[in-house]
Amino acid sequence: DTGVSQDPRHKITKRGQNVTFRCDPISEHNRLYWYRQTLGQGPEFLTYFQNEAQLEKSRLLSDRFSAERPKGSFSTLEIQRTEQGDSAMYLCASSLGTGGVGYTEAFFGQGTRLTVV
Amino acid sequence: AQKVTQAQTEISVVEKEDVTLDCVYETRDTTYYLFWYKQPPSGELVFLIRRNSFDEQNEISGRYSWNFQKSTSSFNFTITASQVVDSAVYFCALSEAGYGGSQGNLIFGKGTKLSVKP
């Protein structure tokens, strides 16, 4: 397995357009996360899936954002009616959850850099 | 509230110097995890280390070492004999453990950009 894969790597869109990003996690990982990273900042959590269930959403995830993971494998993040403030790097990560209390490290993809003009 | 502070925005050193990156965290949980990630110019976050809140033992991995002190809520990272390839942005992160679905999302600091000059 080659790790977490994100597509596209770069996206330039006009304000008001819709965009969709795809993330393919490491194959045996049941947890998938989306983060957003703006210039000079650390990544900020957006949402989290365990298998196909979206279990947590950040307040950063406005109504224009929607994420899905229909079969518990790949995930998509859609932004509707993009705004210039949406310009950022969108990072996907996956991990293997073992249940109960505990944490296994998340592996990150290379991100999709979105520029809204 | 959970928070991670990396006070050093940028650090520049000359190759072979030792450098320490500071990280201070805030959490009300007694069980939590601390991480360091490296982000090279390619953009991918590379996992370096995870520590849980019950294990204050310092760790060394090659030229890297970590000093975890709960008394000062700090988790500092030292690179010994730095190399040009160490140039990257380094992020400290915190995750609070929990039951069920809400676990694992990371709270990152703003990062420290390390430049190692030959």
Side-chain angles (χ1 to χ4, degrees):
Chain A
D1 189 79
T2 56
V4 179
S5 176
Q6 292 189 245
D7 184 69
R9 293 289 312 280
H10 303 271
K11 178 71 177 178
I12 300 175
T13 190
K14 291 184 178 179
R15 190 174 50 186
Q17 297 293 305
N18 298 344
V19 294
T20 300
F21 311 140
R22 176 179 170 124
C23 171
D24 287 273
I26 293 172
S27 58
E28 65 268 24
H29 285 183
N30 56 346
R31 293 180 179 168
L32 187 146
Y33 309 84
W34 284 99
Y35 289 81
R36 180 173 69 186
Q37 185 178 18
T38 53
L39 203 60
Q41 302 295 315
E44 297 172 295
F45 169 75
L46 292 178
T47 190
Y48 155 63
F49 290 85
Q50 179 149 307
N51 301 312
E52 66 276 9
Q54 187 175 19
L55 296 182
E56 191 169 353
K57 292 197 290 186
S58 160
R59 285 173 293 179
L60 293 175
L61 213 64
S62 76
D63 291 345
R64 296 184 298 105
F65 287 69
S66 63
E68 294 182 344
R69 193 181 183 199
K71 296 182 180 178
S73 56
F74 73 91
S75 174
T76 58
L77 177 68
E78 181 183 15
I79 309 174
Q80 296 182 327
R81 304 181 304 281
T82 51
E83 301 173 357
Q84 287 188 320
D86 297 331
S87 295
M89 175 80 85
Y90 290 85
L91 293 164
C92 176
S94 70
S95 70
L96 182 61
T98 56
V101 178
Y103 186 83
T104 55
E105 58 267 25
F107 293 87
F108 283 80
Q110 290 187 298
T112 295
R113 182 170 295 284
L114 173 66
T115 303
V116 181
V117 297
Chain B
Q2 315 135 21
K3 186 178 178 182
V4 175
T5 302
Q6 295 179 256
Q8 305 148 308
T9 306
E10 291 193 44
I11 299 176
S12 182
V13 299
V14 176
E15 210 171 17
K16 297 184 183 176
E17 284 185 18
D18 298 347
V19 57
T20 296
L21 309 181
D22 298 333
C23 173
V24 174
Y25 63 93
E26 295 176 31
T27 177
R28 283 178 288 191
D29 272 20
T30 54
T31 302
Y32 53 89
Y33 298 85
L34 295 164
F35 303 80
W36 277 94
Y37 280 86
K38 174 182 180 179
Q39 189 173 44
S42 60
E44 184 174 348
L45 281 161
V46 178
F47 167 82
L48 295 177
I49 190 172
R50 176 192 71 205
R51 306 296 295 184
N52 72 53
S53 53
F54 299 111
D55 182 2
E56 285 192 74
Q57 197 168 16
N58 292 330
E59 183 159 338
I60 298 174
S61 176
R63 297 184 297 107
Y64 296 169
S65 62
W66 292 269
N67 185 313
F68 176 28
Q69 292 193 342
K70 285 179 77 170
S71 61
T72 55
S73 297
S74 66
F75 186 44
N76 297 337
F77 172 31
T78 297
I79 302 174
T80 304
S82 59
Q83 299 176 1
V84 173
V85 294
D86 296 327
S87 297
V89 180
Y90 290 85
F91 291 97
C92 181
L94 165 72
S95 174
E96 293 176 338
Y99 292 90
S102 180
Q103 33 177 318
N105 50 293
L106 295 162
I107 297 130
F108 285 86
K110 292 188 177 183
T112 297
K113 182 178 180 180
L114 174 64
S115 298
V116 182
K117 302 187 188 311

